[in-house]
Amino acid sequence: EITSEYLEGVPHGGKYSGTLSGTQQTWYVVLADCVLYLKDNGKLIPVLIRLENRNDGEPETWWTPPPPTITDSNHPQQLAWLYAKMWFRSADINIYALVTHFARGHAINEVFAVSCYRNLPNAHPVFRLLQPHLQGLIAVNVQARKVLVNPGKNACSLFLASGDHLAKVLDNYFRGFKYEDLVVPVYFEKRGTGELPEYYFREDMCSYWNILYEYVSEMVAVSYSSDEKVASDEELQNVMRDIVENGFKGFTNGADFPKKMTDVPSLVEFLTVVILNISVFHSSVNFQTFTSYAFPPNAPSCLSDRPPKQDETITMERILKSLPLLEIAFFTMNVSYNLGQYSPVERFYLGSAGEDRQGMLGENMAVSPEQEACIRRMEDNMRVFADRVAQRNEGRYLKYDVMSPRNTPITTQT
């Protein structure tokens, strides 16, 4: 089941809908849930969609695919199912943009960066380990807060139905956010998707977790020979205290982040979480934005006609009337395209001289022979992983290689 719980209590949008098009509209924010069925061939298909226009007090509606005997794409039942899917996808892109991308892929990471810059000297082993992953992160977030997600009129309010009230969307997400949501094995166990076939996002995230966990373990072992060394590192304890008391101030129990680092395994897990979320997770959701959301009818950022009532006859005219206006659609395509472009100063887990892509080594501050050996072993593991991704994509029309180490920057620059 896929739900839109983060849109609960978010009013309809469209306050600035006329900025680009000159036409003032109401953009409806509707709760939309979808039940997926796993077929014998390993493919997921939608079998039930629930829509609820809670803002206007309307009862929830339920939508199912038409029977296989109805093959005419213009049949009312076909159009009703198409329309319901569009409403679900509209809710999905609003959550994807504000929660999955900005909140999880940007905002959380800034807490780690600020705390490290504020509490660790340049010579500290943890700072030297994290430094290449922190570069540019705060700057791009400052830019995002000024333009994209500034409360009130912002770029998101020009094309997203929930953009006028994005603070409420973010508040809904962070109310339930916990540290364990960033721990990859725990995350997928909680979602119950551990055995889902051909779930490449999960497969690639778990591969990165294993590689980076091993890499971090080796790097930590160079500087911390025992749990006592970790527990007695006051500068490291200041980082953890700052994260809980300031970064996640007001969260229940500091979002369950460790208030004090007491042993090597906990430190390794925490540093793996930080590196993976800054680089791998952000890359996975950022650089496929254009592929997934560039065609507005497939994922409309806003819909301007009222959501359908139960068993209401749906026409193609109704669907076309609901879609974003030309200027809004073009702006959505433009934003999704530009978000998916690499920064000219990106560094990747696997560099390529032929493609002018720099790798991990170079500006890295962890440069002792032991540390360089750790990085090179990590790169060897990344090459094996990249080859596995390439082999998996052979013959596929739509490749899923966004998480290949050759395509994954080590930090957040866009």
Side-chain angles (χ1 to χ4, degrees):
E1 181 183 8
I2 305 174
T3 68
S4 58
E5 58 183 317
Y6 302 132
L7 295 180
E8 290 189 8
V10 178
H12 297 319
K15 181 179 180 180
Y16 301 103
S17 57
T19 303
L20 299 176
S21 66
T23 302
Q24 194 67 28
Q25 296 179 316
T26 296
W27 291 341
Y28 290 88
V29 176
V30 172
L31 302 181
D33 308 326
C34 180
V35 175
L36 303 174
Y37 174 72
L38 181 62
K39 299 177 67 176
D40 292 339
N41 63 2
K43 303 297 183 183
L44 285 171
I45 59 171
V47 295
L48 179 66
I49 291 176
R50 183 190 75 91
L51 302 178
E52 184 180 2
N53 181 9
R54 193 174 294 177
N55 286 324
D56 296 324
E58 295 181 359
E60 60 187 8
T61 59
W62 302 85
W63 307 88
T64 56
T69 54
I70 298 179
T71 58
D72 182 5
S73 60
N74 288 314
H75 190 281
Q77 286 184 253
Q78 289 277 17
L79 294 176
W81 179 236
L82 173 65
Y83 200 37
K85 289 190 290 184
M86 287 172 58
W87 278 100
F88 171 75
R89 289 285 285 168
S90 181
D92 179 66
I93 188 176
N94 277 264
I95 293 173
Y96 184 92
L98 298 178
V99 172
T100 310
H101 187 187
F102 175 72
R104 169 77 190 270
H106 280 267
I108 290 172
N109 296 331
E110 187 171 350
V111 173
F112 308 141
V114 169
S115 184
C116 287
Y117 280 122
R118 206 152 53 179
N119 295 287
L120 297 178
N122 290 354
H124 195 281
V126 169
F127 184 85
R128 286 177 173 255
L129 172 64
L130 294 180
Q131 176 265 341
H133 305 282
L134 302 178
Q135 285 186 334
L137 192 158
I138 295 176
V140 76
N141 280 7
V142 169
Q143 186 180 30
R145 283 195 297 273
K146 286 183 176 179
V147 179
L148 289 175
V149 294
N150 184 37
K153 186 176 182 180
N154 52 66
C156 288
S157 67
L158 302 181
F159 71 105
L160 283 176
S162 60
D164 293 344
H165 307 282
L166 56 83
K168 176 60 178 174
V169 180
L170 299 176
D171 180 65
N172 286 346
Y173 169 68
F174 282 118
R175 282 180 182 274
F177 169 73
K178 294 182 179 180
Y179 169 68
E180 66 179 13
D181 296 336
L182 306 181
V183 181
V184 168
V186 177
Y187 172 75
F188 288 112
E189 181 180 353
K190 284 178 59 177
R191 295 191 65 185
T193 56
E195 303 300 324
L196 197 63
E198 296 190 20
Y199 188 14
Y200 298 133
F201 170 71
R202 180 206 62 221
E203 292 181 15
D204 292 349
M205 283 286 283
C206 289
S207 294
Y208 271 112
W209 176 267
N210 294 334
I211 294 171
L212 291 174
Y213 190 93
E214 178 182 339
Y215 162 66
V216 171
S217 298
E218 294 180 354
M219 292 288 276
V220 167
V222 173
S223 303
Y224 297 95
S225 58
S226 65
D227 293 342
E228 289 73 23
K229 290 278 189 181
V230 172
S232 62
D233 187 336
E234 286 300 322
E235 291 163 332
L236 175 61
Q237 304 309 327
N238 289 340
V239 169
M240 305 312 301
R241 192 178 303 113
D242 197 12
I243 288 173
V244 172
E245 295 180 358
N246 297 310
F248 294 103
K249 183 179 181 179
F251 286 64
T252 302
N253 196 34
D256 287 346
F257 274 78
K259 298 181 179 66
K260 183 177 176 63
M261 200 57 67
T262 59
D263 56 80
V264 171
S266 297
L267 176 59
V268 170
E269 179 188 84
F270 170 74
L271 295 176
T272 304
V273 161
V274 172
I275 293 173
L276 188 141
N277 204 63
I278 289 175
S279 58
V280 178
F281 182 84
H282 172 264
S283 179
S284 72
V285 299
N286 184 74
F287 294 110
Q288 63 177 358
T289 305
F290 188 71
T291 301
S292 301
Y293 298 108
F295 183 58
N298 183 52
S301 59
C302 55
L303 290 167
S304 59
D305 203 5
R306 300 180 71 86
K309 300 182 183 299
Q310 192 68 60
D311 301 323
E312 184 179 2
T313 299
I314 304 300
T315 64
M316 182 57 71
E317 289 74 19
R318 167 84 174 273
I319 293 176
L320 294 176
K321 179 184 176 183
S322 299
L323 287 172
L325 297 174
L326 175 63
E327 295 84 356
I328 309 298
F330 178 76
F331 188 77
T332 305
M333 296 169 67
N334 195 310
V335 169
S336 63
Y337 174 79
N338 282 286
L339 284 176
Q341 302 303 302
Y342 293 116
S343 163
V345 295
E346 300 276 22
R347 285 182 173 271
F348 296 80
Y349 277 107
L350 289 179
S352 170
E355 298 179 76
D356 196 24
R357 292 185 176 183
Q358 299 184 86
M360 281 279 288
L361 289 171
E363 296 182 7
N364 199 297
M365 295 178 66
V367 292
S368 73
E370 297 89 348
Q371 292 169 329
E372 182 175 337
C374 292
I375 296 174
R376 293 199 181 279
R377 282 192 294 271
M378 183 268 289
E379 289 181 329
D380 289 340
N381 291 331
M382 288 289 184
R383 288 188 185 90
V384 174
F385 172 36
D387 291 343
R388 189 165 68 245
V389 171
Q391 184 178 13
R392 183 185 71 198
N393 281 291
E394 287 181 0
R396 285 184 173 271
Y397 170 71
L398 186 61
K399 300 181 186 300
Y400 188 81
D401 59 359
V402 66
M403 295 177 70
S404 169
R406 304 186 191 281
N407 298 327
T408 301
I410 64 174
T411 185
T412 301
Q413 299 273 10
T414 56

